[in-house]
Amino acid sequence: SFFVELLRRLERIMRLDGYVYASMGGYPMADHHRVHRMLGIQRLFCFDEDPKTVRRQIFNKPIPDCRCVELNTAEFSSDPDRAYREAGIHGRKGQIVWLDYVRPADLGKNIEEFVSLLRNCEHGDVVRITLNANERAIKGGKDALPKPEKLRNRLKWIKEQVGQYVPEDAKPGDLTESGYAILLARILRAAAAD
């Protein structure tokens, strides 16, 4: 994957073998398998709030020492060190974290957790976040409304969710198929700078 390739390039200038790799992983844990196989990272941490998914993760984990725990993203983001300690992971040199969000309705919560995680990071830590960039899934864009009104309602909803990070020059026209991903990137940049 593109992300693992970026990590391989990063590994040329800094060692990652003492890092923890943490993500939600889903039940197949494909990213954990890839990170372990391609980078040799041994400290693997996978979490999910669904106990059934965690049971599947335990079955599918790439190495016996991989830790799979029932935990939600808010708990993890607010204190990743505690989560690692409670899972028995000690002596890490850094962390690589992937927050993978799929529900557009949770945008405000997702950005809040991203900022919380960044506040708990140290120099050299790596954080990846993925968000749903389907502009049609944003609340406020009812089908019966004319397109300009849909776009205004969608922008209003985004401002209600993450207003402090929305660029001042954001406009309803940014909520198109190609424009929304760019707007999300600008929102994330502002949140990271905060």
Side-chain angles (χ1 to χ4, degrees):
S1 86
F2 181 68
F3 182 56
V4 173
E5 184 56 36
L6 287 174
L7 292 174
R8 288 179 74 182
R9 289 174 186 248
L10 179 62
E11 196 172 40
R12 293 176 188 165
I13 58 171
M14 58 190 271
R15 293 184 59 128
L16 299 178
D17 55 348
Y19 274 56
V20 172
Y21 176 76
S23 85
M24 295 174 256
Y27 72 86
M29 299 181 65
D31 58 311
H32 288 81
H33 283 273
R34 194 173 296 114
V35 163
H36 172 66
R37 189 177 66 251
M38 302 295 284
L39 301 171
I41 292 177
Q42 299 289 318
R43 292 176 174 98
L44 302 173
F45 182 84
C46 193
F47 63 99
D48 200 286
E49 61 188 345
D50 177 26
K52 288 180 186 176
T53 301
V54 173
R55 283 195 297 275
R56 293 282 303 272
Q57 290 170 340
I58 291 168
F59 180 77
N60 291 323
K61 62 187 183 177
I63 58 174
D65 286 342
C66 179
R67 304 295 193 245
C68 304
V69 300
E70 189 178 328
L71 189 69
N72 67 45
T73 52
E75 292 169 320
F76 174 77
S77 297
S78 67
D79 195 350
D81 284 328
R82 187 184 83 220
Y84 300 145
R85 274 192 316 276
E86 289 177 0
I89 296 174
H90 304 286
R92 69 175 179 88
K93 296 204 171 37
Q95 63 182 334
I96 301 165
V97 179
W98 179 13
L99 297 177
D100 184 23
Y101 297 113
V102 295
R103 290 187 290 258
D106 293 340
L107 179 64
K109 177 179 170 279
N110 300 158
I111 299 294
E112 192 176 293
E113 291 170 359
F114 173 63
V115 170
S116 176
L117 177 62
L118 291 179
R119 289 186 178 128
N120 286 291
C121 285
E122 296 176 17
H123 182 74
D125 288 350
V126 177
V127 176
R128 173 187 187 189
I129 180 172
T130 49
L131 299 166
N132 185 325
N134 180 355
E135 83 289 350
R136 291 182 302 258
I138 302 169
K139 291 189 176 187
K142 307 249 186 294
D143 287 337
L145 296 174
K147 188 171 181 174
E149 193 172 344
K150 278 184 197 179
L151 297 179
R152 279 194 301 276
N153 286 348
R154 288 175 178 162
L155 183 60
K156 179 182 175 201
W157 180 82
I158 288 173
K159 286 182 176 181
E160 289 169 356
Q161 300 301 305
V162 291
Q164 71 270 32
Y165 303 123
V166 176
E168 287 184 25
D169 63 348
K171 53 194 175 306
D174 292 333
L175 298 174
T176 61
E177 187 175 340
S178 60
Y180 185 46
I182 293 168
L183 180 61
L184 279 177
R186 293 177 70 199
I187 289 169
L188 287 172
R189 195 174 306 124
D194 189 37

